[in-house]
Amino acid sequence: MSGVPILRRRAQRFERPLVYFRFSPDEFILSVAGSEETYRSTPHVALVRETRVVKAIGPEAHRFASQEVDVENGFSHSRGLIMSDAYLAEIGFRYTFELFIERVRRGQLPFLRWMKPNLLIHPLNMASGHLNTLEMRALYEIGGRCGVRDVTVYFGPELSDLELRTGWYVVA
């Protein structure tokens, strides 16, 4: 009988952390389940007009806006699709995710140094209420390129920390 609680504690101790990545065309919001750490950024990317080389990402992108540099958003689309440019969306998504993970590794969650987290992607403010298969595939691909263990896409209301830690939510 005494072996069961030890195994249960061990399983909880080595459970992979969950990064909750919420995004809209205007904002990225990242957090780790069970942590107070939250990071906010914007999905803007500054590109040199002729060469398409990335100059800056996030809020800093607007500082470089000029005749030679375009500031674009890969997640804004006039027809209500989830992304307008997959290349820009992936650059903004990956950079923001990597910046957040580095920040968390230096702070209160140093175990992320040796453990790949799981990623829960939550698109916010969707006009149609659902994604088509290409958009779903694109989100899984972009999430997988962030170096995580597992990617999940979620639709619905924002999740509380309790729901994130227990895993009691409906996945698309």
Side-chain angles (χ1 to χ4, degrees):
M1 280 260 189
S2 64
V4 174
I6 293 171
L7 292 174
R8 185 173 293 145
R9 267 189 253 132
R10 221 179 250 164
Q12 288 173 353
R13 182 175 176 203
F14 293 110
E15 190 173 295
R16 292 192 179 278
L18 177 68
V19 175
Y20 186 32
F21 195 124
R22 295 161 285 183
F23 72 92
S24 69
D26 304 321
E27 185 176 40
F28 289 149
I29 307 167
L30 290 94
S31 59
V32 176
S35 168
E36 297 294 323
E37 188 78 25
T38 300
Y39 180 73
R40 293 177 181 268
S41 185
T42 61
H44 298 101
V45 179
L47 297 167
V48 177
R49 184 168 289 153
E50 293 182 15
T51 60
R52 302 292 287 175
V53 173
V54 176
K55 192 85 165 158
I57 298 173
E60 297 85 26
H62 291 289
R63 291 187 313 146
F64 292 94
S66 67
Q67 291 182 349
E68 296 85 26
V69 178
D70 291 330
V71 177
E72 299 181 22
N73 182 347
F75 286 99
S76 66
H77 198 280
S78 60
R79 289 183 285 165
L81 299 174
I82 198 157
M83 62 183 79
S84 59
D85 187 334
Y87 173 70
L88 292 175
E90 180 179 348
I91 288 173
F93 196 99
R94 286 180 61 190
Y95 173 80
T96 303
F97 180 82
E98 290 168 6
L99 193 66
F100 173 70
I101 292 297
E102 278 304 312
R103 184 176 167 186
V104 169
R105 282 181 179 156
R106 283 184 267 125
Q108 60 186 356
L109 301 172
F111 58 83
L112 282 176
R113 289 186 187 130
W114 53 271
M115 186 181 281
K116 290 182 176 183
N118 292 327
L119 177 63
L120 178 64
I121 301 173
H122 184 187
L124 302 172
N125 303 332
M126 294 182 45
S128 63
H130 68 281
L131 298 178
N132 63 36
T133 55
L134 290 175
E135 292 171 322
M136 287 281 290
R137 177 67 184 245
L139 286 177
Y140 279 110
E141 291 287 327
I142 291 172
R145 291 187 183 132
C146 289
V148 298
R149 179 72 173 199
D150 187 40
V151 177
T152 305
V153 178
Y154 167 77
F155 304 103
E158 288 196 43
L159 299 172
S160 68
D161 192 50
L162 180 64
E163 291 169 321
L164 290 172
R165 284 185 283 128
T166 59
W168 288 97
Y169 50 86
V170 178
V171 178

Short mmCIF file of all heavy atoms in Angstrom, two decimals, residues 108-164:
data_model
loop_
_atom_site.label_atom_id
_atom_site.label_comp_id
_atom_site.label_asym_id
_atom_site.label_seq_id
_atom_site.Cartn_x
_atom_site.Cartn_y
_atom_site.Cartn_z
N GLN A 108 11.80 31.69 -12.33
CA GLN A 108 11.34 30.78 -11.28
C GLN A 108 11.16 29.34 -11.72
O GLN A 108 10.86 28.49 -10.90
CB GLN A 108 10.03 31.31 -10.71
CG GLN A 108 8.92 31.42 -11.74
CD GLN A 108 7.70 32.08 -11.15
OE1 GLN A 108 7.65 32.37 -9.98
NE2 GLN A 108 6.70 32.28 -11.98
N LEU A 109 11.29 29.05 -13.01
CA LEU A 109 11.09 27.68 -13.50
C LEU A 109 12.34 27.15 -14.20
O LEU A 109 12.34 26.91 -15.40
CB LEU A 109 9.89 27.63 -14.46
CG LEU A 109 8.56 28.09 -13.87
CD1 LEU A 109 7.52 28.18 -14.96
CD2 LEU A 109 8.11 27.16 -12.77
N PRO A 110 13.42 26.94 -13.47
CA PRO A 110 14.66 26.51 -14.11
C PRO A 110 14.61 25.09 -14.68
O PRO A 110 15.45 24.72 -15.48
CB PRO A 110 15.69 26.59 -12.98
CG PRO A 110 14.89 26.45 -11.73
CD PRO A 110 13.55 27.08 -12.03
N PHE A 111 13.58 24.28 -14.32
CA PHE A 111 13.51 22.92 -14.84
C PHE A 111 13.26 22.89 -16.34
O PHE A 111 13.46 21.87 -16.98
CB PHE A 111 12.43 22.10 -14.12
CG PHE A 111 11.05 22.69 -14.22
CD1 PHE A 111 10.26 22.47 -15.33
CD2 PHE A 111 10.55 23.47 -13.20
CE1 PHE A 111 9.00 23.01 -15.44
CE2 PHE A 111 9.28 24.01 -13.30
CZ PHE A 111 8.51 23.79 -14.42
N LEU A 112 12.87 24.00 -16.94
CA LEU A 112 12.68 24.04 -18.39
C LEU A 112 14.01 23.96 -19.13
O LEU A 112 14.03 23.82 -20.34
CB LEU A 112 11.93 25.31 -18.81
CG LEU A 112 10.43 25.28 -18.59
CD1 LEU A 112 9.82 26.62 -18.94
CD2 LEU A 112 9.77 24.20 -19.41
N ARG A 113 15.12 24.04 -18.40
CA ARG A 113 16.43 23.90 -19.05
C ARG A 113 16.62 22.50 -19.62
O ARG A 113 17.25 22.34 -20.64
CB ARG A 113 17.55 24.18 -18.04
CG ARG A 113 17.65 25.60 -17.68
CD ARG A 113 18.87 25.85 -16.81
NE ARG A 113 18.81 27.22 -16.36
CZ ARG A 113 18.95 27.60 -15.10
NH1 ARG A 113 19.16 26.71 -14.17
NH2 ARG A 113 18.87 28.86 -14.78
N TRP A 114 16.08 21.50 -18.98
CA TRP A 114 16.31 20.12 -19.42
C TRP A 114 15.03 19.40 -19.80
O TRP A 114 15.07 18.22 -20.12
CB TRP A 114 17.05 19.34 -18.34
CG TRP A 114 16.40 19.40 -16.99
CD1 TRP A 114 16.62 20.34 -16.02
CD2 TRP A 114 15.42 18.52 -16.45
NE1 TRP A 114 15.84 20.08 -14.93
CE2 TRP A 114 15.10 18.95 -15.16
CE3 TRP A 114 14.79 17.37 -16.94
CZ2 TRP A 114 14.18 18.31 -14.36
CZ3 TRP A 114 13.87 16.73 -16.13
CH2 TRP A 114 13.58 17.20 -14.86
N MET A 115 13.91 20.08 -19.81
CA MET A 115 12.65 19.41 -20.12
C MET A 115 11.88 20.20 -21.19
O MET A 115 11.66 21.39 -21.04
CB MET A 115 11.80 19.31 -18.85
CG MET A 115 10.54 18.52 -19.04
SD MET A 115 9.57 18.46 -17.52
CE MET A 115 10.44 17.20 -16.63
N LYS A 116 11.49 19.52 -22.27
CA LYS A 116 10.68 20.15 -23.30
C LYS A 116 9.25 20.27 -22.81
O LYS A 116 8.66 19.28 -22.39
CB LYS A 116 10.70 19.33 -24.58
CG LYS A 116 12.01 19.32 -25.30
CD LYS A 116 11.88 18.52 -26.57
CE LYS A 116 13.13 18.56 -27.37
NZ LYS A 116 12.98 17.85 -28.64
N PRO A 117 8.66 21.45 -22.87
CA PRO A 117 7.28 21.61 -22.40
C PRO A 117 6.28 21.15 -23.45
O PRO A 117 6.61 20.95 -24.62
CB PRO A 117 7.17 23.11 -22.17
CG PRO A 117 8.10 23.70 -23.17
CD PRO A 117 9.25 22.73 -23.28
N ASN A 118 5.04 20.97 -23.02
CA ASN A 118 3.92 20.79 -23.93
C ASN A 118 3.38 22.17 -24.26
O ASN A 118 3.51 23.10 -23.46
CB ASN A 118 2.83 19.93 -23.30
CG ASN A 118 3.27 18.50 -23.11
OD1 ASN A 118 4.05 17.97 -23.90
ND2 ASN A 118 2.79 17.86 -22.07
N LEU A 119 2.77 22.32 -25.42
CA LEU A 119 2.28 23.62 -25.86
C LEU A 119 0.79 23.54 -26.15
O LEU A 119 0.34 22.67 -26.90
CB LEU A 119 3.04 24.06 -27.13
CG LEU A 119 2.62 25.37 -27.78
CD1 LEU A 119 2.84 26.54 -26.84
CD2 LEU A 119 3.41 25.57 -29.07
N LEU A 120 0.03 24.45 -25.55
CA LEU A 120 -1.40 24.57 -25.80
C LEU A 120 -1.62 25.89 -26.53
O LEU A 120 -1.39 26.96 -25.98
CB LEU A 120 -2.19 24.55 -24.49
CG LEU A 120 -3.70 24.72 -24.60
CD1 LEU A 120 -4.32 23.56 -25.37
CD2 LEU A 120 -4.33 24.82 -23.24
N ILE A 121 -2.04 25.82 -27.80
CA ILE A 121 -2.27 27.00 -28.63
C ILE A 121 -3.74 27.34 -28.59
O ILE A 121 -4.59 26.47 -28.84
CB ILE A 121 -1.80 26.74 -30.08
CG1 ILE A 121 -0.32 26.39 -30.10
CG2 ILE A 121 -2.09 27.97 -30.94
CD1 ILE A 121 0.18 25.96 -31.47
N HIS A 122 -4.05 28.60 -28.29
CA HIS A 122 -5.44 29.03 -28.17
C HIS A 122 -5.65 30.30 -29.01
O HIS A 122 -5.30 31.40 -28.58
CB HIS A 122 -5.76 29.31 -26.71
CG HIS A 122 -7.17 29.67 -26.46
ND1 HIS A 122 -7.61 30.09 -25.23
CD2 HIS A 122 -8.27 29.70 -27.25
CE1 HIS A 122 -8.90 30.35 -25.28
NE2 HIS A 122 -9.31 30.13 -26.51
N PRO A 123 -6.23 30.16 -30.22
CA PRO A 123 -6.54 31.36 -30.99
C PRO A 123 -7.73 32.10 -30.37
O PRO A 123 -8.77 31.50 -30.10
CB PRO A 123 -6.91 30.83 -32.38
CG PRO A 123 -6.88 29.36 -32.30
CD PRO A 123 -6.50 28.94 -30.93
N LEU A 124 -7.57 33.39 -30.15
CA LEU A 124 -8.63 34.22 -29.56
C LEU A 124 -9.31 35.06 -30.64
O LEU A 124 -8.74 35.31 -31.70
CB LEU A 124 -8.03 35.16 -28.51
CG LEU A 124 -7.27 34.51 -27.36
CD1 LEU A 124 -6.57 35.58 -26.54
CD2 LEU A 124 -8.20 33.71 -26.50
N ASN A 125 -10.50 35.52 -30.35
CA ASN A 125 -11.24 36.45 -31.22
C ASN A 125 -11.37 35.95 -32.65
O ASN A 125 -11.10 36.67 -33.61
CB ASN A 125 -10.58 37.83 -31.22
CG ASN A 125 -10.46 38.42 -29.86
OD1 ASN A 125 -11.25 38.11 -28.98
ND2 ASN A 125 -9.47 39.26 -29.67
N MET A 126 -11.77 34.71 -32.79
CA MET A 126 -11.94 34.15 -34.13
C MET A 126 -13.32 34.53 -34.67
O MET A 126 -14.33 34.28 -34.02
CB MET A 126 -11.79 32.64 -34.10
CG MET A 126 -10.40 32.21 -33.73
SD MET A 126 -10.21 30.45 -33.75
CE MET A 126 -11.02 30.00 -35.24
N ALA A 127 -13.36 35.10 -35.86
CA ALA A 127 -14.62 35.56 -36.44
C ALA A 127 -15.54 34.40 -36.79
O ALA A 127 -16.73 34.43 -36.53
CB ALA A 127 -14.34 36.40 -37.68
N SER A 128 -14.98 33.33 -37.37
CA SER A 128 -15.82 32.22 -37.83
C SER A 128 -16.11 31.21 -36.72
O SER A 128 -17.03 30.42 -36.83
CB SER A 128 -15.13 31.50 -38.99
OG SER A 128 -13.91 30.94 -38.56
N GLY A 129 -15.32 31.21 -35.66
CA GLY A 129 -15.56 30.28 -34.56
C GLY A 129 -14.87 28.94 -34.70
O GLY A 129 -14.86 28.15 -33.77
N HIS A 130 -14.30 28.67 -35.86
CA HIS A 130 -13.57 27.42 -36.06
C HIS A 130 -12.49 27.63 -37.12
O HIS A 130 -12.47 28.64 -37.80
CB HIS A 130 -14.52 26.29 -36.47
CG HIS A 130 -15.11 26.49 -37.83
ND1 HIS A 130 -16.17 27.34 -38.05
CD2 HIS A 130 -14.78 25.97 -39.03
CE1 HIS A 130 -16.48 27.33 -39.33
NE2 HIS A 130 -15.65 26.51 -39.96
N LEU A 131 -11.60 26.66 -37.25
CA LEU A 131 -10.53 26.73 -38.24
C LEU A 131 -10.75 25.67 -39.30
O LEU A 131 -11.28 24.59 -39.01
CB LEU A 131 -9.18 26.49 -37.57
CG LEU A 131 -8.73 27.46 -36.50
CD1 LEU A 131 -7.39 27.03 -35.94
CD2 LEU A 131 -8.62 28.85 -37.06
N ASN A 132 -10.27 25.94 -40.51
CA ASN A 132 -10.29 24.89 -41.52
C ASN A 132 -9.07 24.00 -41.32
O ASN A 132 -8.20 24.28 -40.49
CB ASN A 132 -10.38 25.48 -42.93
CG ASN A 132 -9.18 26.33 -43.29
OD1 ASN A 132 -8.05 26.03 -42.91
ND2 ASN A 132 -9.42 27.40 -44.03
N THR A 133 -9.00 22.92 -42.07
CA THR A 133 -7.92 21.95 -41.85
C THR A 133 -6.54 22.52 -42.16
O THR A 133 -5.56 22.17 -41.50
CB THR A 133 -8.15 20.68 -42.69
OG1 THR A 133 -8.29 21.05 -44.06
CG2 THR A 133 -9.38 19.94 -42.22
N LEU A 134 -6.45 23.42 -43.13
CA LEU A 134 -5.15 24.03 -43.44
C LEU A 134 -4.66 24.92 -42.30
O LEU A 134 -3.48 24.91 -41.96
CB LEU A 134 -5.24 24.84 -44.73
CG LEU A 134 -5.40 24.04 -46.01
CD1 LEU A 134 -5.60 24.97 -47.18
CD2 LEU A 134 -4.20 23.14 -46.24
N GLU A 135 -5.56 25.68 -41.72
CA GLU A 135 -5.19 26.53 -40.59
C GLU A 135 -4.79 25.70 -39.37
O GLU A 135 -3.82 26.02 -38.68
CB GLU A 135 -6.34 27.47 -40.23
CG GLU A 135 -6.62 28.51 -41.31
CD GLU A 135 -7.88 29.28 -41.06
OE1 GLU A 135 -8.87 28.70 -40.59
OE2 GLU A 135 -7.88 30.50 -41.33
N MET A 136 -5.53 24.63 -39.12
CA MET A 136 -5.17 23.72 -38.02
C MET A 136 -3.78 23.14 -38.24
O MET A 136 -2.94 23.12 -37.34
CB MET A 136 -6.18 22.58 -37.90
CG MET A 136 -7.51 22.98 -37.33
SD MET A 136 -7.46 23.14 -35.56
CE MET A 136 -7.29 21.45 -35.07
N ARG A 137 -3.53 22.66 -39.45
CA ARG A 137 -2.24 22.07 -39.78
C ARG A 137 -1.12 23.09 -39.62
O ARG A 137 -0.05 22.78 -39.09
CB ARG A 137 -2.29 21.53 -41.22
CG ARG A 137 -1.01 20.96 -41.73
CD ARG A 137 -0.65 19.69 -40.98
NE ARG A 137 0.61 19.17 -41.39
CZ ARG A 137 0.78 18.03 -42.01
NH1 ARG A 137 -0.25 17.27 -42.27
NH2 ARG A 137 1.97 17.63 -42.35
N ALA A 138 -1.37 24.32 -40.06
CA ALA A 138 -0.36 25.37 -39.93
C ALA A 138 -0.02 25.64 -38.46
O ALA A 138 1.16 25.78 -38.11
CB ALA A 138 -0.84 26.65 -40.61
N LEU A 139 -1.03 25.69 -37.60
CA LEU A 139 -0.77 25.91 -36.17
C LEU A 139 0.02 24.76 -35.56
O LEU A 139 0.94 24.98 -34.77
CB LEU A 139 -2.08 26.12 -35.41
CG LEU A 139 -2.76 27.46 -35.61
CD1 LEU A 139 -4.07 27.50 -34.85
CD2 LEU A 139 -1.86 28.59 -35.17
N TYR A 140 -0.33 23.52 -35.91
CA TYR A 140 0.43 22.37 -35.41
C TYR A 140 1.87 22.41 -35.89
O TYR A 140 2.80 22.12 -35.14
CB TYR A 140 -0.23 21.05 -35.83
CG TYR A 140 -1.38 20.64 -34.95
CD1 TYR A 140 -2.69 20.67 -35.42
CD2 TYR A 140 -1.17 20.21 -33.65
CE1 TYR A 140 -3.76 20.29 -34.62
CE2 TYR A 140 -2.22 19.83 -32.84
CZ TYR A 140 -3.51 19.87 -33.33
OH TYR A 140 -4.55 19.50 -32.53
N GLU A 141 2.07 22.76 -37.16
CA GLU A 141 3.43 22.83 -37.71
C GLU A 141 4.26 23.92 -37.03
O GLU A 141 5.40 23.69 -36.65
CB GLU A 141 3.37 23.10 -39.22
CG GLU A 141 2.83 21.96 -40.04
CD GLU A 141 3.79 20.80 -40.15
OE1 GLU A 141 5.01 21.03 -40.17
OE2 GLU A 141 3.31 19.66 -40.19
N ILE A 142 3.67 25.10 -36.89
CA ILE A 142 4.40 26.20 -36.24
C ILE A 142 4.71 25.85 -34.80
O ILE A 142 5.82 26.06 -34.31
CB ILE A 142 3.58 27.51 -36.33
CG1 ILE A 142 3.52 28.00 -37.78
CG2 ILE A 142 4.16 28.58 -35.44
CD1 ILE A 142 2.58 29.15 -38.01
N GLY A 143 3.75 25.29 -34.09
CA GLY A 143 3.99 24.88 -32.70
C GLY A 143 5.06 23.81 -32.59
O GLY A 143 5.91 23.85 -31.70
N GLY A 144 5.04 22.85 -33.51
CA GLY A 144 6.04 21.78 -33.49
C GLY A 144 7.44 22.28 -33.74
O GLY A 144 8.42 21.71 -33.25
N ARG A 145 7.57 23.35 -34.51
CA ARG A 145 8.90 23.90 -34.80
C ARG A 145 9.47 24.72 -33.65
O ARG A 145 10.60 25.19 -33.73
CB ARG A 145 8.83 24.76 -36.06
CG ARG A 145 8.59 23.93 -37.29
CD ARG A 145 8.67 24.75 -38.53
NE ARG A 145 8.37 23.91 -39.67
CZ ARG A 145 7.54 24.23 -40.63
NH1 ARG A 145 6.95 25.41 -40.60
NH2 ARG A 145 7.30 23.42 -41.62
N CYS A 146 8.70 24.88 -32.59
CA CYS A 146 9.18 25.62 -31.41
C CYS A 146 10.01 24.73 -30.48
O CYS A 146 10.48 25.20 -29.45
CB CYS A 146 7.99 26.19 -30.63
SG CYS A 146 7.19 27.55 -31.47
N GLY A 147 10.14 23.46 -30.79
CA GLY A 147 10.94 22.56 -29.96
C GLY A 147 10.21 22.06 -28.73
O GLY A 147 10.82 21.85 -27.69
N VAL A 148 8.91 21.86 -28.85
CA VAL A 148 8.12 21.36 -27.73
C VAL A 148 7.89 19.86 -27.89
O VAL A 148 8.12 19.28 -28.94
CB VAL A 148 6.76 22.09 -27.62
CG1 VAL A 148 6.98 23.56 -27.36
CG2 VAL A 148 5.92 21.90 -28.85
N ARG A 149 7.41 19.23 -26.83
CA ARG A 149 7.15 17.80 -26.85
C ARG A 149 5.84 17.48 -27.56
O ARG A 149 5.77 16.57 -28.38
CB ARG A 149 7.11 17.30 -25.40
CG ARG A 149 6.82 15.85 -25.24
CD ARG A 149 7.99 15.04 -25.68
NE ARG A 149 7.75 13.64 -25.36
CZ ARG A 149 8.68 12.77 -25.29
NH1 ARG A 149 9.93 13.11 -25.50
NH2 ARG A 149 8.41 11.53 -25.01
N ASP A 150 4.77 18.23 -27.24
CA ASP A 150 3.45 17.95 -27.80
C ASP A 150 2.72 19.27 -28.02
O ASP A 150 2.84 20.19 -27.23
CB ASP A 150 2.66 17.06 -26.83
CG ASP A 150 1.35 16.60 -27.41
OD1 ASP A 150 1.30 16.27 -28.60
OD2 ASP A 150 0.35 16.57 -26.66
N VAL A 151 1.94 19.35 -29.11
CA VAL A 151 1.18 20.55 -29.45
C VAL A 151 -0.30 20.21 -29.42
O VAL A 151 -0.72 19.20 -29.97
CB VAL A 151 1.55 21.08 -30.85
CG1 VAL A 151 0.71 22.29 -31.21
CG2 VAL A 151 3.02 21.41 -30.93
N THR A 152 -1.09 21.07 -28.77
CA THR A 152 -2.54 20.92 -28.74
C THR A 152 -3.15 22.26 -29.12
O THR A 152 -2.66 23.31 -28.71
CB THR A 152 -3.02 20.55 -27.32
OG1 THR A 152 -2.32 19.37 -26.89
CG2 THR A 152 -4.51 20.28 -27.30
N VAL A 153 -4.20 22.23 -29.94
CA VAL A 153 -4.92 23.45 -30.31
C VAL A 153 -6.26 23.41 -29.60
O VAL A 153 -6.97 22.41 -29.63
CB VAL A 153 -5.10 23.55 -31.84
CG1 VAL A 153 -5.90 24.78 -32.21
CG2 VAL A 153 -3.75 23.56 -32.54
N TYR A 154 -6.61 24.53 -28.97
CA TYR A 154 -7.83 24.62 -28.17
C TYR A 154 -8.69 25.77 -28.66
O TYR A 154 -8.18 26.84 -29.00
CB TYR A 154 -7.47 24.84 -26.70
CG TYR A 154 -8.62 25.26 -25.83
CD1 TYR A 154 -9.57 24.34 -25.39
CD2 TYR A 154 -8.78 26.58 -25.45
CE1 TYR A 154 -10.63 24.72 -24.60
CE2 TYR A 154 -9.85 26.98 -24.66
CZ TYR A 154 -10.76 26.05 -24.24
OH TYR A 154 -11.82 26.44 -23.47
N PHE A 155 -10.03 25.57 -28.71
CA PHE A 155 -10.98 26.62 -29.04
C PHE A 155 -11.95 26.75 -27.88
O PHE A 155 -12.34 25.74 -27.30
CB PHE A 155 -11.78 26.26 -30.30
CG PHE A 155 -10.90 25.98 -31.47
CD1 PHE A 155 -10.67 24.69 -31.87
CD2 PHE A 155 -10.29 27.01 -32.15
CE1 PHE A 155 -9.85 24.42 -32.94
CE2 PHE A 155 -9.47 26.75 -33.22
CZ PHE A 155 -9.25 25.45 -33.61
N GLY A 156 -12.37 27.95 -27.59
CA GLY A 156 -13.33 28.16 -26.52
C GLY A 156 -12.93 29.32 -25.65
O GLY A 156 -12.05 30.10 -25.99
N PRO A 157 -13.57 29.41 -24.47
CA PRO A 157 -13.23 30.50 -23.55
C PRO A 157 -11.83 30.30 -22.97
O PRO A 157 -11.30 29.19 -22.98
CB PRO A 157 -14.30 30.40 -22.46
CG PRO A 157 -14.80 29.00 -22.54
CD PRO A 157 -14.65 28.56 -23.96
N GLU A 158 -11.25 31.40 -22.49
CA GLU A 158 -9.92 31.31 -21.90
C GLU A 158 -9.95 30.36 -20.71
O GLU A 158 -10.92 30.34 -19.95
CB GLU A 158 -9.41 32.68 -21.50
CG GLU A 158 -9.04 33.53 -22.69
CD GLU A 158 -8.19 34.72 -22.33
OE1 GLU A 158 -7.25 34.57 -21.52
OE2 GLU A 158 -8.47 35.79 -22.86
N LEU A 159 -8.87 29.62 -20.54
CA LEU A 159 -8.79 28.62 -19.48
C LEU A 159 -8.18 29.21 -18.22
O LEU A 159 -7.28 30.04 -18.28
CB LEU A 159 -7.94 27.43 -19.95
CG LEU A 159 -8.47 26.69 -21.17
CD1 LEU A 159 -7.45 25.67 -21.65
CD2 LEU A 159 -9.78 26.01 -20.84
N SER A 160 -8.67 28.74 -17.09
CA SER A 160 -8.11 29.15 -15.80
C SER A 160 -6.87 28.31 -15.52
O SER A 160 -6.63 27.28 -16.17
CB SER A 160 -9.13 28.96 -14.69
OG SER A 160 -9.36 27.57 -14.48
N ASP A 161 -6.11 28.74 -14.54
CA ASP A 161 -4.91 27.98 -14.17
C ASP A 161 -5.28 26.58 -13.66
O ASP A 161 -4.58 25.62 -13.94
CB ASP A 161 -4.11 28.74 -13.11
CG ASP A 161 -2.74 28.15 -12.92
OD1 ASP A 161 -2.04 27.95 -13.93
OD2 ASP A 161 -2.38 27.87 -11.76
N LEU A 162 -6.38 26.46 -12.95
CA LEU A 162 -6.83 25.15 -12.47
C LEU A 162 -7.16 24.23 -13.63
O LEU A 162 -6.77 23.06 -13.63
CB LEU A 162 -8.05 25.32 -11.56
CG LEU A 162 -8.64 24.02 -10.99
CD1 LEU A 162 -7.62 23.34 -10.09
CD2 LEU A 162 -9.92 24.30 -10.25
N GLU A 163 -7.86 24.73 -14.64
CA GLU A 163 -8.17 23.91 -15.82
C GLU A 163 -6.90 23.49 -16.54
O GLU A 163 -6.79 22.36 -17.03
CB GLU A 163 -9.09 24.68 -16.77
CG GLU A 163 -10.48 24.88 -16.23
CD GLU A 163 -11.29 25.85 -17.06
OE1 GLU A 163 -10.73 26.87 -17.52
OE2 GLU A 163 -12.49 25.59 -17.24
N LEU A 164 -5.92 24.38 -16.62
CA LEU A 164 -4.66 24.05 -17.28
C LEU A 164 -3.89 22.97 -16.52
O LEU A 164 -3.36 22.04 -17.11
CB LEU A 164 -3.79 25.29 -17.42
CG LEU A 164 -4.27 26.34 -18.41
CD1 LEU A 164 -3.43 27.59 -18.29
CD2 LEU A 164 -4.22 25.79 -19.82
#
